[in-house]
Each structure stands twice: as structure tokens, then as C-alpha cells.
Amino acid sequence: MARKKENKNKKWIVLFAALIAISIFIASAVYKIGSWQFFLPIEYIAFDINGHFQKWISRPVSWSSGLFKGIFEITQLKEENKRLREEIGRLQGEIVSYKNAGIENESYRRLLEIKKELPFPVVVANVVAGDLFPFSWVITVDKGKANGLGVDMSVLSGHGLVGRVIDASTNFSRVMLVTDKKSAVSVVSMKNRTHGILKGDGEGRLSLYYVERDRVIEREEEIITSGTDTIFPKGILVGKVVDVKLSSEDDRNNKSDIFQTITVDPVVDMKKLEEVIVQVRGRPLLDEKK
Amino acid sequence: MTQSSEGKHFFLTTAIAFVLMLMETALGRQIEWGFVRMDGVASLVVWCSLAVSFPFGLFWIFTISFIAEAFSSVTAGLYTLSFVLSYFFIQYTLSNIIISYVFQKMLLVAFTSLLTTTILLAAEGLADMIWPWAVMQAFFSGLASICFFYIFDRIFAKFSCDSNLNL
């Protein structure tokens, strides 16, 4: 009798577990399709909780690395450092814009002046975590919608372009670095004004796509954003050309002779990022829909 | 296994998974070598697959997968797919072979790590990185599993007096 009851109970438990598993599976599928906005708040809450924990964990590591730099004035130094990095970022942008403006024609320069006049408030954010998947070039920063950050805002460092915001919760944001395989930036070479699409190769370098054979591009030439993708502002330094070759010369995977194969080194060391600057466009985006 | 101990083990596994992933994401960038990290998640998936039979084990694996998805920006569902596949493979293996030696568990962890990384890399368009990085990660995960299995065993032994897990 007792055994019968136990078997009955077991059946109910199995049924219950199966139902939960099926509903989770369906929920996951619906979420993947993207038609159910119900899960978004839950995702953001989880993202926020994880971010706080990650910040607590990563804080002692970054603290210990900076310990010997200044024991007595560490707080002031950090503040000053943050302010200076912000300043460097702004100045870097200005320098690149000036160099760029020098080789542009008159109308181009006029457009640039208009662009420069646009006020772009920036927010300095600390990198608190990476992605669980080590091949994914995505970082988490400790600023979110409450600080005015939103999806598709460009992220810079003192040296050049870092990436763009792909997801933002109230206090944290995910940034896809330009070296990620899914990243694409519309760029132009500084000297020869050759346009192309810069994509990450997933291994830490960048490849410049869709540059025709007859276009001139040189080694060591600087690559800057062209602004035509409407995500990244024009004139931000992204990298330097390290290798130029015709597709059919060495690349057996790409037999096409239409485009060149161009490798670009990013100017920013993505593995050593600690602080980034996010260009905030417009007002805080707390009410932004994903 | 009683229902109370089942619940306790489940929450313990969830907590371990959360802490492992938290450490890996917060410190992974500082301590990784190339693209190889000290990955304990593959060990946890194998440990659960060996310890908890169907259908409860599947529920545990779903939970670990959802935590993993929250910590990553890879395409939704890929962690779930790879972990569930690993779970069914290990369950099938268990129905044919008794896995008791350490090297067998190490091989299972290495296989699970390779399967997971291969699925994720292929789906993300990075199939050319399977060799050597996914293979190296699998190798290191297999080696690290000795340490992780020891830790998991100790934790579960400490927190449960009436443990009936299959290990």
C-alpha cells in the first residue's frame, strides 16, 4: 500500500518536473524569438544583481593592482586619474578631428565643423567583468540607464574607439568591443580616404572588408570612423593597418579578386581595459525600450 | 533521496554555479591565458549529470544553463543546448558503463568542455578557433576537474548528512 502511494507520489513529481522543464524550454524559445517582452525586466534584474556581485569581486583585484602606486593619496589620485582620462579622451578626439580636417575638402570640413559643434556629454565607467564565454569580446561596465547610457552608444578610451553599448540595465551595461566577431564599424583610412567596413576577427585583431583592388591603402595608415553607420561619431581613431594583400595571394578561403585583405591592429589594448568613456547622446534613457 | 535533501542539493548546486560563474567573469580577464581559463562550469555540469538521474537532473542542468545565459551575451539558448546535450550523453554512457575512475571523469569533463565550446564557437561564427583554443580549454578543464570534483564532493558531504547522490 505504502509502496503504491510512493509510486503515485513519484509519478506526480516526475510530471511536475517535466512540466517545469517544458515551460522553461518554451519560455526560452519564445524569449529567443523575441516576441515576449515579459522577460525583459527579469533579465535586467538578474543583470543588475550579477553586476553588483561582479563589481564587489573585481574591486579588490583592481585595488591591489594600484596599491603601490600611491598609498597615502590613492583616493585623490584615482579621482584625478579618472578626470585626466576623460580629458585625454576629449583631446584625443580633437587631435584626430584636426588631423582629419586638414586633408579634407572644404565642404567636408564644413560638415565636420557642424559635427564638432554638437555637444556630446561623456560618462566615465569602470570595467567590472568580462563575458562567461572567453571568445566573446564583451565587457560589463558599472554605468547603466541611470547614468544616461543606452544601446548603441559609442564607447572610447584615451587611445581610441573601444566599442558600443549592446545592453543596459539600470546600473550596468554590456559593451561589445570592436574586436568581437559580431562587431562592424564603418571606417575610412586617414591618408588615402579609402572607405571600408572594419570587423573583429574574434582573436583580438580587425579586418577591413570591402576595399576594392584598385583602392590605395598603405601599411601604418591610421583608420578612423567615417560616421556613416550613424552609431559611431566621425573621426575617432580605431587602429593602424598592419598588413595589406590581394585576396587571392595567400588567402585560400577567399578566392575573390574583387577586394583586398587588410589586417588592422586596434589602438586600444582590449585585454587591459580598466576605464572607458561612453558618449552619451541626449537625455538619460531610463524609459528606453530594448 | 528524500525530497528535502533533493531540494537542498539543488539549491547548493545553484549557489555553486552562481559563484563559479561570478568568479570566472569578474576575474577571468585578469587570469586567463590566451583564451583558456580555469573553467569549473564544465566540471559542475558533469558532476550533476553523474550525480542526478533523469528527470530531476535535467531540471538541475536547465538551472545551470539559465545562470550561464545570464552571465553571457552569446546567442540565447546555446548554453542550454550544449549542457542538455552533455547531460543526455552522460546519462546514456552511465546506462552502459560504470564511471568510477578519476580519469574517466576527467575525460567526460574534457569532452563536455569541448562539446560546449565547439557548439558556442560554431554558432558564433568562430569555428576556426576550435583548434587549438577549444581543445586546449578542454584539456585544462579535464585536468582542473580533479580539483573541482574534490571541492564539490567536500561541499556536498559537508552540507548533507543523508546524501544519496549517485557518486
Side-chain angles (χ1 to χ4, degrees):
Chain A
M1 188 73 177
R3 197 169 187 177
K4 214 173 184 181
K5 200 177 174 185
E6 198 179 301
N7 279 340
K8 202 178 176 185
N9 277 342
K10 202 175 177 184
K11 271 182 189 172
W12 276 109
I13 291 164
V14 169
L15 190 66
F16 180 67
L19 274 174
I20 289 174
I22 290 164
S23 35
I24 290 169
F25 208 77
I26 291 167
S28 171
V30 172
Y31 172 69
K32 171 72 176 65
I33 294 161
S35 60
W36 201 355
Q37 297 292 315
F38 173 75
F39 281 98
L40 276 179
I42 301 168
E43 189 196 333
Y44 287 145
I45 290 165
F47 187 21
D48 252 6
I49 293 167
N50 295 345
H52 281 295
F53 278 114
Q54 287 165 332
K55 195 178 174 182
W56 291 338
I57 288 176
S58 65
R59 194 177 284 168
V61 177
S62 39
W63 178 79
S64 60
S65 65
L67 185 65
F68 298 104
K69 288 178 187 169
I71 296 166
F72 301 108
E73 294 176 328
I74 195 153
T75 318
Q76 291 96 315
L77 281 173
K78 276 198 169 179
E79 285 297 317
E80 197 180 341
N81 194 21
K82 192 180 271 188
R83 197 163 44 79
L84 286 172
R85 276 174 192 271
E86 192 179 325
E87 196 61 35
I88 289 168
R90 279 190 179 144
L91 290 172
Q92 187 83 27
E94 273 183 37
I95 290 166
V96 173
S97 297
Y98 286 136
K99 280 166 91 176
N100 193 27
I103 53 169
E104 283 176 343
N105 61 37
E106 192 57 42
S107 62
Y108 219 117
R109 194 182 297 131
R110 198 168 59 242
L111 283 172
L112 185 73
E113 288 301 322
I114 295 165
K115 188 99 181 169
K116 273 164 68 184
E117 281 170 20
L118 289 173
F120 266 129
V122 295
V123 169
V124 177
N126 295 302
V127 179
V128 293
D131 198 278
L132 183 65
F133 187 50
F135 302 89
S136 185
W137 292 81
V138 174
I139 53 168
T140 303
V141 296
D142 65 348
K143 295 286 189 302
K145 285 181 181 174
N147 308 96
L149 270 66
V151 175
D152 280 347
M153 286 182 177
S154 51
V155 182
L156 317 165
S157 80
H159 301 286
L161 189 69
V162 169
R164 66 183 171 93
V165 177
I166 54 166
D167 207 358
S169 67
T170 311
N171 297 307
F172 294 91
S173 301
R174 278 204 182 107
V175 176
M176 181 190 279
L177 307 180
V178 286
T179 42
D180 193 275
K181 187 83 175 175
K182 291 178 194 165
S183 165
V185 186
S186 178
V187 292
V188 61
S189 68
M190 190 91 116
K191 191 177 165 192
N192 294 298
R193 314 307 294 171
T194 305
H195 285 258
I197 302 293
L198 200 62
K199 289 183 175 183
D201 67 353
E203 294 184 58
R205 277 195 162 175
L206 307 159
S207 296
L208 189 56
Y209 286 88
Y210 313 119
V211 177
E212 290 162 16
R213 272 175 73 103
D214 55 345
R215 298 280 174 191
V216 181
I217 194 157
E218 296 163 21
R219 285 187 186 199
E220 295 297 313
E221 193 172 346
E222 287 177 324
I223 303 292
I224 57 169
T225 52
S226 68
T228 52
D229 52 20
T230 69
I231 293 173
F232 302 103
K234 200 165 108 181
I236 306 287
L237 187 63
V238 190
K240 275 185 183 173
V241 176
V242 289
D243 192 27
V244 183
K245 61 189 174 192
L246 293 176
S247 298
S248 58
E249 279 178 9
D250 297 311
D251 190 356
R252 278 178 292 171
N253 295 326
N254 188 358
K255 299 281 185 192
S256 166
D257 280 338
I258 302 170
F259 302 115
Q260 300 179 53
T261 304
I262 298 158
T263 310
V264 176
D265 245 357
V267 285
V268 181
D269 188 348
M270 304 295 178
K271 290 265 182 187
K272 289 179 182 168
L273 275 176
E274 285 178 9
E275 282 170 341
V276 292
I277 301 159
V278 186
Q279 283 201 322
V280 182
R281 288 173 292 197
R283 60 190 175 75
L285 300 165
L286 269 171
D287 55 343
E288 184 194 66
K289 296 273 188 294
K290 192 178 178 184
Chain B
M1 199 189 314
T2 63
Q3 281 182 41
S4 64
S5 68
E6 178 78 46
K8 202 197 290 179
H9 289 142
F10 170 72
F11 285 112
L12 201 54
T13 311
T14 310
I16 291 171
F18 184 74
V19 171
L20 272 176
M21 291 178 206
L22 205 60
M23 301 294 278
E24 209 169 301
T25 50
L27 305 175
R29 292 173 71 242
Q30 280 102 333
I31 54 171
E32 70 184 3
W33 178 69
F35 292 98
V36 177
R37 283 181 187 172
M38 183 67 112
D39 179 26
V41 181
S43 298
L44 185 66
V45 169
V46 173
W47 193 90
C48 286
S49 305
L50 289 171
V52 196
S53 53
F54 186 79
F56 295 107
L58 190 61
F59 184 61
W60 289 33
I61 295 295
F62 267 130
T63 310
I64 296 171
S65 312
F66 278 108
I67 298 170
E69 304 264 358
F71 276 99
S72 180
S73 61
V74 296
T75 312
L78 287 179
Y79 271 108
T80 312
L81 176 73
S82 55
F83 288 170
V84 167
L85 281 177
S86 304
Y87 175 77
F88 281 123
F89 172 78
I90 293 167
Q91 284 292 309
Y92 174 74
T93 312
L94 272 180
S95 65
N96 293 287
I97 310 162
I98 298 166
I99 297 165
S100 55
Y101 294 110
V102 175
F103 82 91
Q104 290 175 315
K105 291 174 186 174
M106 280 170 68
L107 283 175
L108 273 183
V109 172
F111 175 80
T112 302
S113 173
L114 187 61
L115 178 73
T116 308
T117 317
T118 303
I119 288 174
L120 291 169
L121 281 174
E124 295 289 299
L126 294 162
D128 53 337
M129 288 177 81
I130 292 171
W131 175 258
W133 295 111
V135 178
M136 278 166 70
Q137 179 66 66
F139 179 75
F140 278 104
S141 295
L143 282 180
S145 68
I146 305 169
C147 172
F148 282 115
F149 270 71
Y150 175 76
I151 294 168
F152 298 153
D153 287 340
R154 297 290 292 180
I155 291 171
F156 275 82
K158 194 175 173 95
F159 281 90
S160 59
C161 307
D162 55 346
S163 178
N164 279 328
L165 297 175
N166 298 335
L167 286 173

